[in-house]
Amino acid sequence: MKKYFVFFCVFVVMSAYAELSGAKFPGTIDDMSFKSRMEIAYDGYKPLLDKKAYQELEIVPGEEIFIDHMILEAEAEAKQQEQDAKSMNIGEYCEKYPYDEQRCPQNSTTNAQYSYTNTDHCITDWTIGRKPVIPGPTVTGGACYPPNHAGKGRENRILTSGRYETISPAFEKAMITILRKEGGCGTIKADSGGYTCLGIAWNYNKDKFPTKEALSKITYAQAEDYYYNYFWLKYKIYKLPDTISGYYLLAAMGSGPSIAYNQFRKFLNVKNYNRAYQIDDEMVGAARNYNGNIAKDWIDKVREPFLHKIEQAYAEKGSKINYAYSIKLQRENGCHICPTYPLHRPPQPIQRKIN
């Protein structure tokens, strides 16, 4: 009995040992070699080797004939344009092909052989903006008449580059006037702006021009950029109707943004006020609905009397300022003022001579 009991115990122990040593966990892909895993991945992607993430366009039967026709048509138009360039004068050609930047650049000569007849019977051989002028109290972003000759002994050249002519004709017209009356650099006694060049006062713009010498070397094109960014856009003058926006820019430039803003706000009888001196919708609405000739009244009732007082104040302090010429130049060069003797833009921009 004892022998059987021992045998039974040995059998149980060996059976338990055999069961434990024979157990195995199932293998996973992580237990495989890198090479084996790449082979499996390659086999899995094999069906997609020649596939694309998009569906290729198929040419519809007969479409290739249509495409060939379009190519031939484009070639014929290009050939016709070349023939027209040889047979037409520049005015006729640019009227037919206004987007030819090579032959009809924005700063090309404006003495073209065609005319614009406008609603107020003003006929000029070119306009600022290169399209008919539509005078009116609500028009914004339209074309302007060319500048007027200022008489003997005055600046009678267009000094702007023409880069802003199609962007904003009213700004371009005002800049032509600014550069004609602010042609040099210097210091006016008793003027808080100090040293000034092309109308830009150094005392108020030291962040943009670190020295007076830097300001003295400013070009006409740089002056245009300055007035466009720091006046036209900053104070949102562009929102005003064309008939008054240029005059307002001249006021903001000449007397400062705050004075021009307050004068114009009171002139329009607008009570709202903002510290940024920006033209708002209420001022725009008042300008559009103004009862009368807003440009004439603005100069007659506000700007001329104000500048006359400033001139008298300067005279008492020993500074001689000729504002009469400035007012006359402004009167004759509003966006919608028809010139009696229009100036033309030179074929090439005039470069400012720096002493």
Side-chain angles (χ1 to χ4, degrees):
M1 186 72 176
K2 185 177 181 182
K3 182 165 76 174
Y4 288 113
F5 178 76
V6 173
F7 175 80
F8 176 77
C9 291
V10 172
F11 175 80
V12 171
V13 172
M14 290 183 67
S15 298
Y17 177 79
E19 185 177 350
L20 289 173
S21 62
K24 292 184 179 179
F25 291 100
T28 66
I29 194 170
D30 293 328
D31 298 318
M32 300 176 67
S33 67
F34 177 78
K35 181 179 180 181
S36 299
R37 278 184 283 168
M38 289 301 295
E39 289 175 351
I40 292 176
Y42 179 82
D43 290 338
Y45 282 109
K46 235 176 184 180
L48 304 175
L49 275 178
D50 297 325
K51 301 295 182 181
K52 293 183 175 135
Y54 55 89
Q55 182 178 358
E56 291 186 347
L57 296 174
E58 295 181 358
I59 299 295
V60 177
E63 191 175 12
E64 65 272 13
I65 300 175
F66 174 73
I67 293 173
D68 290 341
H69 174 73
M70 290 181 65
I71 294 173
L72 290 173
E73 191 174 56
E75 291 176 349
E77 289 178 357
K79 187 175 181 180
Q80 181 63 49
Q81 185 172 346
E82 286 299 322
Q83 291 176 354
D84 290 343
K86 296 176 182 178
S87 61
M88 292 179 172
N89 62 50
I90 189 65
E92 294 171 336
Y93 177 85
C94 290
E95 193 169 22
K96 185 174 181 180
Y97 304 102
Y99 300 110
D100 187 339
E101 296 181 356
Q102 184 176 359
R103 293 188 177 94
C104 306
Q106 292 181 14
N107 63 346
S108 64
T109 178
T110 53
N111 194 10
Q113 303 300 316
Y114 54 93
S115 298
Y116 293 105
T117 303
N118 301 292
T119 55
D120 62 350
H121 306 293
C122 176
I123 300 176
T124 58
D125 58 354
W126 75 287
T127 66
I128 299 174
R130 309 305 175 93
K131 55 187 177 181
V133 177
I134 305 176
T138 62
V139 177
T140 301
C144 299
Y145 290 119
N148 195 37
H149 197 280
K152 188 176 181 180
R154 300 295 186 180
E155 179 59 77
N156 288 305
R157 296 178 300 168
I158 296 177
L159 302 176
T160 59
S161 65
R163 292 178 299 127
Y164 289 96
E165 181 176 347
T166 55
I167 295 174
S168 181
F171 172 79
E172 171 73 13
K173 182 70 178 286
M175 275 307 306
I176 292 173
T177 303
I178 288 175
L179 294 182
R180 289 175 70 188
K181 79 181 194 70
E182 301 285 348
C185 301
T187 302
I188 299 174
K189 188 177 179 181
D191 190 337
S192 60
Y195 181 77
T196 303
C197 195
L198 302 186
I200 302 171
W202 185 64
N203 285 348
Y204 304 140
N205 292 281
K206 294 180 181 180
D207 58 327
K208 304 174 188 66
F209 305 94
T211 63
K212 293 180 181 179
E213 183 181 6
L215 177 58
S216 71
K217 294 180 179 179
I218 188 173
T219 64
Y220 293 136
Q222 289 171 334
E224 291 171 29
D225 293 339
Y226 170 86
Y227 283 110
Y228 187 75
N229 290 307
Y230 298 112
F231 278 82
W232 194 254
L233 295 183
K234 180 177 180 180
Y235 301 111
K236 299 186 177 182
I237 303 173
Y238 61 87
K239 297 177 69 173
L240 289 170
D242 296 338
T243 189
I244 190 64
S245 60
Y247 288 127
Y248 185 86
L249 173 62
L250 286 157
M253 180 278 300
S255 303
S258 61
I259 291 177
Y261 175 80
N262 283 301
Q263 284 184 339
F264 195 60
R265 184 174 58 86
K266 293 175 182 177
F267 170 73
L268 295 174
N269 195 28
V270 171
K271 295 182 180 180
N272 285 347
Y273 174 87
N274 65 75
R275 294 184 179 275
Y277 310 129
Q278 293 179 333
I279 299 298
D280 59 20
D281 292 341
E282 186 176 2
M283 296 175 77
V284 172
R288 287 179 174 175
N289 296 316
Y290 183 84
N291 185 19
N293 188 328
I294 187 172
K296 185 176 185 302
D297 288 350
W298 167 247
I299 292 179
D300 289 348
K301 298 177 181 179
V302 181
R303 292 304 296 170
E304 186 170 19
F306 173 77
L307 293 181
H308 181 64
K309 290 181 180 179
I310 295 298
E311 188 171 27
Q312 289 180 325
Y314 277 163
E316 293 176 0
K317 296 179 180 180
S319 297
K320 187 177 180 181
I321 308 293
N322 186 4
Y323 280 115
Y325 164 66
S326 174
I327 287 295
K328 183 176 184 298
L329 191 67
Q330 291 183 45
R331 286 185 189 280
E332 296 176 352
N333 288 279
C335 179
H336 295 162
I337 303 298
C338 183
T340 55
Y341 184 3
L343 298 179
H344 290 91
R345 187 180 301 285
Q348 297 296 327
I350 297 173
Q351 302 299 323
R352 178 173 169 260
K353 294 181 179 179
I354 301 173
N355 298 327

